[in-house]
Amino acid sequence: MEERVTETQVLIIGGGITGTALVRELSKYKVDVCLVEKEPAVGFGISKGTQGVLHGGLSLFSSRLVKWFDRSIDVATYIKTPLHLKEKFNIIGRPIFLELESKLNVKIKKTGIIQFAYDKAEMRAFEIIKEKAEELGFTDIVLLDRNQIRDLEPGIDMSKRVGGIYDPNDYVIVVPEWCMAFADNAKQNGAHVLVNTEVTGIEEKKGYWLVKTNNGPIKAEFVINAAGVHSDEIAAMVEKIDWAYVLFDHTFFVLENKGYLKHMIFEMPVPFEPCLMIPTPDGNILGGVTMYQHKIEEKNDFLTTRQGLEHIIKIPESFIPDVPWRKAIMRSFRAYLMFNTRDMDDMLLYWPRERFLNMITCAPGIAPSAGLALEVVKMLRDKGLDLTEKSDFNPYREDPRGFIDLPTEIKNAKIEANPAYGHIVCRCEKGTEQEVRNAVRAGARTLDEVKFRVRTGMGRCQGGFCTSRVLQIMSEEMGVSPLEIKLKGGNSYILKQETKELRAKGEAV
Amino acid sequence: MSVKEVICILCPFGCKLEVNVGGGEVTEVKGNRCKEGIEYARHEVFSPERVLTTTMRTLNPKAPLLPVRSDKPLPKGKLEESMGVIAKHTVSAPIQLGDVIVSNILNTGVNIVASRSMAKKS
Amino acid sequence: MITKEVDLAIIGAGPAGMAAAVKAKELGLERVIVLERAEAPGGLLHQCIHNGFGLHYFNEDLTGPEYGERFIKKLSAMNIELALDTMVTHLYPDRSIIAVNSEWGEFKVLPGATILAMGCREKTRFQIGLGIPGSRPAGIFTAGLAQRLVNVDGYMPGTEFVILGSGDVGMIMARRLCLEGAKVNAVVEFMPYVGGLIRNEVQCLHDFQIPLLLEHTISEIYGRDRIEGVKVAKVDKGEIVEGTERSISCDCLLLSVGLIPENELSIEAGVQMCEETGGPMVDEYLQTSVDGIFAAGNVVQVHDLVDNVTLDGERAGEGAIKYIDGKLKKGPREIKVLVGENINRVTPQKIVGPEEVELLLRIRQPMENVELAIGEHFRKKYRVLTPTEIVKAVLKPSDLAEHFESGEIKVSCRSRKKGAGQ
């Protein structure tokens, strides 16, 4: 099933939200486009650990507050500075996501956002934000007092919080799902998406780029660097870069949501520690600190720590004290946000070479990806790439899951035609055998990718019931023994060997 | 004369027994709270036995393993070798619970029998 | 959609569900259906290939499959409808059920009574305290899943193991893995005593020279894509002792750290839950707070012996029939059963009828020379009790009579000797 691509017109390096949004956009045109991703699936890099917020009027500016609000700078002045590139693209990009929800069959959850103030100074800063947001067309933002907040979210402890600001129009997605949706749709429309393909070197040739990968070299007219946290390494392959990445980490709990929270809630009681609780599209809550001030050195350091977990559980406990959060823990993870040292406020978008484009993204980067995609198409056209629209572009992608939520008649018709839909293999999330098969047919080769497509393994039991069954189905569809199936990238094989193998060989460990 | 330590498993007390052995006999048992422990200690020191329960490969890809067991306790020292013998066997359906699969394994007088029935699949 | 009207619907064909079905049929109930999500009945008995089952119920030492087969044979012999590969997706307060399978699609069941027998799920690494910190690599399994992979599917999830938790499942798996030629580098146990039977400590750990680290916990998991090892640390009074961390290498970590009764359907139906057991509040007929919905087995509380689970299932089957026949007796009032000193949990949580009642309870920590006290009259002495076993106490009507007045009966126990628990 793995195709070989040796030549393309536009080569995108990186299958995160930025790269996949772009490959889908380019697949609307009669141009040969190829995306390479080093992990076994798109969305498995830094996109995997993001909180998934599609920022809007309020949260866009909250992002500004997050980074710079140490209460010593003049907030009013800072808020009124011109929009950054990433903010511009965010404003363009978010409506595109909203429009694509039904076309690509990926979930978006409308959560709104409430941000809390601990003192009058913060309330004043909120007023300035509200003004600025209104200038940009976000007119539904309101300031709230204690009682109004209690009406919206009765569980929140308002004893130390004096009030807040509320934007009903904020949204949350699960980013890897969107990466997969973008990539699937791009593939439907003729784009190439190669996973397990890592760029090892780039050479400038006369009239083209030679991009070396672990699966052979690819000739490309244009190269787009959308490699997320590795984009500095890719950029360094063609130029001496004068910037580096600074990484800020966050640790989050995935918590059960038994009606505890409806809206996204956010505050920064301690400078540089923005606390967040997000109701997710899958019915859970993400709770934690969105970025720590301290920097982490190792790009692959996704380790949670005891101190980190002990610190983070206090966030939901402080927001909503009456819920036994410690008993509602489903999972915890750690990931990070990145910023570049040339401009800590913004992303970088520039051509270090003719026909080599750097998309050096930063946080927030999700909604901007759709806006950036449009911009890059323009930029490519300006550089002379002939982009004629396809008349037969198909913007629709089938729902990879959600079988269980269909009306009974449709369910039963599908089961009648295909009994594998009637076999539920995931007790917690109700994923069916056929949906697992479909996921493999759409390209999933790892348990994690099946998890993001079908939600098997994402529920309360975290794979206790479904793992055995999903491995069996994947093994059948992939035509390999379950011993060859991995959890995610690298060496993450799930099983070691057959029972009896050691004894039959007369060996023991 | 030697002293062996044995933990009695007959009840939740789990008495730690000191067993004095001399001339091929148990001469004294210390640490027991009841007399059943003495008999257990004797047995465990001279002829420790264990029921072996394990699985055996089948020729049926849908049910690749059949649970099997020793129909009587095996000498403790023969467990590993028995596992090797069992690893070299395969069974095929139909099997009835209790069928003898390996008779008199390693000349112990103990049989390895099927722990479950397995019907022939069409 | 297909609608099935039945006398009794049972959710789960594990030992509790099978026992309930067989008992109900034996007592003359006509239409009994059992809805099972796996491909075969028997629940976890299939993968529990070790012996030790049936010592009480059959007076024999059987393996899990042998024990299960006795009931499976009865299911087919007694014309009990068994729907396999069938997932119940909804349970409503009126006892009705929505389920899905390949044969009938999404269908409805309208029962005279419903018995919940869904068993438990296992705690994951994320639910031990705040979660075991470190990386999130492949190679971490709950013991039950590993057991299924090794004994049913035919795959070893590793070759060098560390096992967290010295309950019986963990110890049994330790032996199993060693028998199959793997190495178990340590069994790590938080408490100062082993979590399962002494027999298993001897025959699973000592026999194979597996180090048992009491009063230890796993403080970190490391390994990027696949686990490479764990850090273990001593604990004192539940807290990690600084400076005691050391690494143990492994390519697989098994977690035997606790079971959670699987009650999402119960909650959907509005069944009142009990915090101590994690299961529904039941009376002595195993009826829940919702009329006509009964519960049996591990879904009510984590059991120790499958023999007790079978008895539970039979009791629920009897209760369901009594309910259907309108014969469920109620006494002058209900008695609430209170968890007192040194007691972890008790079922039933409520007593309704004036007949004899059997309580099932677990104590908090190992105790010697124990006196169990229930209410004003019941007293029983034990030489030794441990929290791993379910203790049974039969209360006669005379033990209960005056408690109908107060509406309460307290269960407690004390040790008459200083030392292991007061």
Side-chain angles (χ1 to χ4, degrees):
Chain A
M1 259 187 110
E2 294 288 321
E3 45 168 331
R4 253 313 255 125
V5 171
T6 50
E7 198 171 330
T8 187
Q9 284 178 278
V10 181
L11 179 67
I12 303 170
I13 303 177
I17 194 70
T18 309
T20 53
L22 179 58
V23 75
R24 179 182 182 271
E25 192 60 33
L26 283 170
S27 74
K28 291 179 181 169
Y29 300 92
K30 292 180 186 165
V31 66
D32 195 287
V33 58
C34 175
L35 182 153
V36 290
E37 163 56 52
K38 76 174 175 75
E39 294 290 338
V42 295
F44 270 22
I46 200 170
S47 289
K48 205 178 189 195
T50 73
Q51 298 132 234
V53 180
L54 289 177
H55 290 284
L58 172 57
S59 54
L60 203 53
F61 291 102
S62 301
S63 302
R64 290 185 169 212
L65 278 184
V66 161
K67 278 191 60 218
W68 303 109
F69 190 28
D70 64 354
R71 291 166 176 73
S72 67
I73 59 167
D74 177 24
V75 172
T77 311
Y78 178 61
I79 291 294
K80 288 183 168 156
T81 56
L83 285 182
H84 300 305
L85 267 187
K86 67 183 187 190
E87 290 164 341
K88 285 204 191 113
F89 291 126
N90 191 115
I91 293 172
I92 298 170
R94 189 168 84 167
I96 299 175
F97 271 88
L98 295 175
E99 186 225 322
L100 288 177
E101 183 187 6
S102 52
K103 291 198 173 125
L104 298 178
N105 276 302
V106 208
K107 284 214 190 106
I108 298 184
K109 186 179 175 80
K110 186 174 187 186
T111 59
I113 183 169
I114 306 172
Q115 184 168 351
F116 297 102
Y118 273 73
D119 55 35
K120 289 213 175 83
E122 280 191 278
M123 286 301 283
R124 272 198 294 277
F126 288 169
E127 282 175 28
I128 298 169
I129 290 178
K130 180 166 136 71
E131 268 173 46
K132 177 77 179 183
E134 272 163 6
E135 277 170 39
L136 294 165
F138 299 101
T139 50
D140 292 335
I141 297 174
V142 290
L143 293 169
L144 298 176
D145 64 30
R146 278 199 171 105
N147 291 323
Q148 289 167 316
I149 292 181
R150 284 208 186 94
D151 285 339
L152 285 180
E153 286 291 347
I156 295 182
D157 173 19
M158 292 304 294
S159 53
K160 292 214 183 73
R161 301 169 169 106
V162 303
I165 182 167
Y166 171 52
D167 180 354
N169 300 313
D170 228 19
Y171 303 86
V172 178
I173 63 172
V174 178
V175 176
E177 284 180 21
W178 277 83
C179 294
M180 290 168 192
F182 283 147
D184 284 352
N185 196 218
K187 283 195 283 191
Q188 276 172 259
N189 287 292
H192 308 282
V193 176
L194 307 177
V195 294
N196 289 314
T197 304
E198 182 171 359
V199 170
T200 52
I202 304 180
E203 274 175 38
E204 191 164 12
K205 301 282 195 197
K206 204 157 195 280
Y208 67 93
W209 292 97
L210 187 66
V211 178
K212 298 198 211 131
T213 78
N214 59 332
N215 285 327
I218 304 177
K219 282 160 100 165
E221 206 183 315
F222 288 90
V223 175
I224 319 259
N225 175 10
V229 75
H230 298 286
S231 52
D232 56 349
E233 296 158 46
I234 300 294
M237 289 180 185
V238 300
E239 60 157 348
K240 199 160 163 17
I241 52 174
D242 64 356
W243 53 271
Y245 265 127
V246 175
L247 306 175
F248 294 79
D249 74 320
H250 57 249
T251 296
F252 267 80
F253 281 106
V254 179
L255 304 158
E256 283 186 85
N257 188 3
K258 297 187 183 171
Y260 304 141
L261 185 68
K262 279 211 290 287
H263 302 86
M264 201 183 336
I265 52 181
F266 175 74
E267 66 181 15
M268 200 163 59
V270 171
F272 301 117
E273 266 201 28
C275 306
L276 197 50
M277 281 182 78
I278 307 174
T280 68
D282 300 315
N284 302 322
I285 295 176
L286 287 186
V289 169
T290 199
M291 57 182 273
Y292 278 117
Q293 186 195 8
H294 64 267
K295 303 164 198 175
I296 54 176
E297 305 305 329
E298 177 57 58
K299 271 184 190 169
N300 293 317
D301 177 16
F302 289 109
L303 311 178
T304 52
T305 63
R306 193 168 21 118
Q307 293 85 342
L309 294 173
E310 280 169 9
H311 186 78
I312 299 301
I313 195 64
K314 299 199 179 103
I315 311 285
E317 287 178 339
S318 145
F319 273 124
I320 304 176
D322 289 334
V323 169
W325 293 109
R326 288 169 196 247
K327 293 203 182 141
I329 296 174
M330 288 173 65
R331 207 175 157 84
S332 51
F333 66 91
R334 185 172 174 196
Y336 37 70
L337 307 180
M338 50 203 201
F339 300 92
N340 71 82
T341 52
R342 191 197 278 181
D343 184 350
M344 288 287 280
D345 283 334
D346 206 357
M347 62 169 297
L348 305 175
L349 184 64
Y350 68 100
W351 304 90
R353 287 279 187 280
E354 272 300 298
R355 293 171 288 109
F356 187 104
L357 179 66
N358 271 340
M359 299 177 78
I360 311 302
T361 50
C362 63
I366 305 171
S369 65
L372 270 168
L374 296 177
E375 179 70 15
V376 169
V377 165
K378 244 191 267 156
M379 291 169 82
L380 287 169
R381 203 178 250 132
D382 288 345
K383 283 281 179 180
L385 182 62
D386 183 18
L387 288 168
T388 327
E389 278 186 50
K390 283 179 183 155
S391 53
D392 59 349
F393 174 74
N394 176 11
Y396 298 100
R397 183 194 79 137
E398 256 193 58
D399 196 344
R401 60 168 198 253
F403 177 82
I404 201 64
D405 299 320
L406 295 171
T408 307
E409 314 81 58
I410 301 186
K411 266 205 205 82
N412 287 341
K414 282 185 114 137
I415 293 175
E416 175 94 37
N418 186 347
Y421 273 115
H423 182 204
I424 296 179
V425 296
C426 171
R427 165 214 9 223
C428 303
E429 301 292 322
K430 316 285 190 307
T432 65
E433 179 191 324
Q434 188 57 44
E435 288 164 308
V436 174
R437 291 188 187 278
N438 292 344
V440 179
R441 290 173 198 176
R445 290 289 176 276
T446 59
L447 199 62
D448 261 8
E449 188 175 351
V450 173
K451 190 167 86 167
F452 276 103
R453 285 180 179 273
V454 189
R455 281 197 61 76
T456 49
M458 282 217 181
R460 299 171 308 272
C461 82
Q462 293 282 304
F465 176 68
C466 67
T467 297
S468 160
R469 288 145 179 96
V470 172
L471 281 177
Q472 221 169 297
I473 299 168
M474 286 179 74
S475 150
E476 278 169 34
E477 284 291 320
M478 287 162 63
V480 301
S481 153
L483 294 170
E484 293 179 44
I485 300 177
K486 295 183 190 178
L487 177 68
K488 38 185 186 168
N491 192 33
S492 64
Y493 292 97
I494 296 167
L495 304 168
K496 271 284 170 164
Q497 57 194 190
E498 294 187 356
T499 312
K500 295 303 159 200
E501 213 173 292
L502 285 169
R503 283 295 176 202
K505 281 193 239 168
E507 287 164 26
V509 174
Chain B
M1 266 289 281
S2 62
V3 180
K4 295 209 195 291
E5 273 185 23
V6 165
I7 296 182
C8 178
I9 62 171
L10 296 181
C11 89
F13 267 123
C15 298
K16 291 192 176 44
L17 308 175
E18 252 181 48
V19 186
N20 291 327
V21 180
E25 264 188 22
V26 169
T27 53
E28 197 187 353
V29 175
K30 283 193 270 197
N32 57 304
R33 270 179 254 225
C34 72
K35 62 173 168 36
E36 281 83 9
I38 301 176
E39 191 43 49
Y40 173 81
R42 182 174 294 132
H43 198 73
E44 182 68 7
V45 163
F46 286 116
S47 49
E49 298 178 316
R50 303 285 185 263
V51 170
L52 177 64
T53 56
T54 180
T55 56
M56 194 178 277
R57 288 245 153 233
T58 74
L59 295 173
N60 180 0
K62 292 271 177 192
L65 296 174
L66 175 76
V68 296
R69 62 170 299 162
S70 60
D71 60 357
K72 291 196 294 269
L74 276 167
K76 185 172 151 194
K78 292 276 183 190
L79 288 183
E80 226 181 277
E81 213 186 325
S82 303
M83 287 296 293
V85 170
I86 290 169
K88 299 195 163 73
H89 272 77
T90 35
V91 289
S92 53
I95 296 265
Q96 281 305 312
L97 188 157
D99 280 355
V100 173
I101 316 236
V102 180
S103 175
N104 189 17
I105 191 167
L106 298 170
N107 251 322
T108 55
V110 176
N111 301 321
I112 304 295
V113 303
S115 187
R116 169 166 77 84
S117 303
M118 194 166 78
K120 208 172 178 77
K121 290 242 158 83
S122 50
Chain C
M1 93 164 93
I2 295 176
T3 300
K4 293 189 155 285
E5 284 187 36
V6 298
D7 296 314
L8 178 62
I10 300 173
I11 306 179
M18 291 195 294
V22 166
K23 180 57 86 179
K25 266 284 175 163
E26 271 172 8
L27 293 176
L29 211 54
E30 286 269 338
R31 300 164 303 169
V32 177
I33 187 168
V34 188
L35 307 161
E36 167 57 52
R37 66 168 197 242
E39 58 281 339
L44 297 173
L45 290 170
H46 273 312
Q47 60 187 63
C48 293
I49 63 162
H50 50 281
N51 58 317
F53 300 91
L55 292 167
H56 301 274
Y57 192 82
F58 290 116
N59 234 343
E60 298 175 57
D61 186 4
L62 305 174
T63 64
E66 284 170 347
Y67 187 98
E69 195 155 316
R70 305 232 168 145
F71 293 92
I72 294 171
K73 285 208 160 91
K74 285 196 190 168
L75 285 182
S76 39
M78 295 169 85
N79 212 12
I80 293 166
E81 183 158 25
L82 180 57
L84 298 170
D85 282 319
T86 300
M87 186 71 73
V88 172
T89 53
H90 294 287
L91 174 66
Y92 297 115
D94 65 358
R95 309 183 286 285
S96 66
I97 288 165
I98 302 283
V100 178
N101 67 23
S102 300
E103 202 187 323
W104 300 325
E106 184 171 65
F107 64 97
K108 192 186 284 192
V109 182
L110 299 175
T114 298
I115 298 181
L116 308 171
M118 294 90 73
C120 286
R121 66 174 183 273
E122 298 180 277
K123 266 198 193 164
T124 69
R125 73 168 274 189
F126 297 106
Q127 286 144 348
I128 305 165
L130 297 178
I132 304 179
S135 57
R136 292 169 297 290
I140 301 171
F141 296 87
T142 53
L145 174 58
Q147 194 180 53
R148 180 175 166 104
L149 291 168
V150 174
N151 293 340
V152 176
D153 297 338
Y155 299 104
M156 297 280 279
T159 54
E160 214 179 302
F161 292 79
V162 168
I163 299 178
L164 179 60
S166 67
D168 287 319
V169 186
M171 293 198 282
I172 299 253
M173 275 314 285
R175 173 176 64 188
R176 186 84 192 92
L177 297 167
C178 288
L179 283 174
E180 289 297 346
K183 190 158 183 286
V184 177
N185 288 339
V187 170
V188 180
E189 169 58 53
F190 190 76
M191 301 301 268
Y193 46 84
V194 94
L197 300 171
I198 306 260
R199 152 180 289 141
N200 287 330
E201 188 183 346
V202 170
Q203 297 188 348
C204 300
L205 303 186
H206 297 176
D207 277 8
F208 296 91
Q209 288 106 42
I210 299 172
L212 170 63
L213 305 176
L214 294 176
E215 284 187 289
H216 274 74
T217 190
I218 292 182
S219 57
E220 192 184 320
I221 291 172
Y222 57 89
R224 212 191 84 148
D225 306 318
R226 173 95 199 175
I227 189 172
E228 282 161 37
V230 296
K231 292 217 178 105
V232 295
K234 206 163 179 339
V235 291
D236 183 33
K237 295 188 187 55
E239 295 293 319
I240 287 183
V241 178
E242 298 294 334
T244 61
E245 267 193 330
R246 63 183 174 93
S247 296
I248 302 182
S249 73
C250 65
D251 65 12
C252 191
L253 171 65
L254 293 198
L255 304 169
S256 172
V257 291
L259 299 173
I260 303 171
E262 189 70 55
N263 276 290
E264 275 61 33
L265 290 174
S266 323
I267 293 171
E268 187 185 4
V271 165
Q272 223 186 334
M273 303 294 292
C274 165
E275 209 188 304
E276 283 96 6
T277 58
M281 299 204 108
V282 292
D283 63 22
E284 66 266 43
Y285 299 99
L286 295 180
Q287 182 164 208
T288 67
S289 62
V290 174
D291 244 42
I293 297 185
F294 294 74
N298 272 357
V299 79
V300 177
Q301 66 170 318
V302 178
H303 279 261
D304 56 345
L305 300 175
V306 75
D307 308 59
N308 286 333
V309 169
T310 297
L311 293 171
D312 234 34
E314 292 180 341
R315 185 172 290 143
E318 285 164 352
I321 288 190
K322 282 201 167 90
Y323 170 81
I324 291 168
D325 291 342
K327 285 197 198 133
L328 266 190
K329 290 190 188 137
K330 280 188 178 244
R333 262 182 79 175
E334 286 175 3
I335 305 175
K336 215 166 152 235
V337 180
L338 302 175
V339 170
E341 207 184 340
N342 287 319
I343 302 293
N344 199 337
R345 54 185 200 242
V346 189
T347 60
Q349 293 90 342
K350 188 170 73 168
I351 297 173
V352 297
E355 292 183 356
E356 195 173 271
V357 171
E358 183 179 67
L359 294 189
L360 304 178
L361 58 101
R362 282 197 199 244
I363 65 170
R364 268 191 200 283
Q365 69 263 335
M367 292 166 74
E368 294 181 22
N369 284 325
V370 192
E371 183 180 74
L372 178 66
I374 305 179
E376 295 295 314
H377 300 289
F378 181 98
R379 300 286 179 271
K380 190 164 173 193
K381 295 202 181 71
Y382 301 84
R383 269 197 312 160
V384 63
L385 287 181
T386 64
T388 59
E389 59 189 292
I390 284 194
V391 181
K392 300 189 197 184
V394 176
L395 300 177
K396 297 196 288 294
S398 50
D399 297 318
L400 295 167
E402 67 203 71
H403 291 279
F404 279 107
E405 285 305 307
S406 63
E408 284 182 358
I409 190 167
K410 191 186 248 187
V411 181
S412 62
C413 69
R414 321 194 81 213
S415 177
R416 276 139 43 84
K417 205 169 101 170
K418 225 176 165 66
Q422 283 290 334

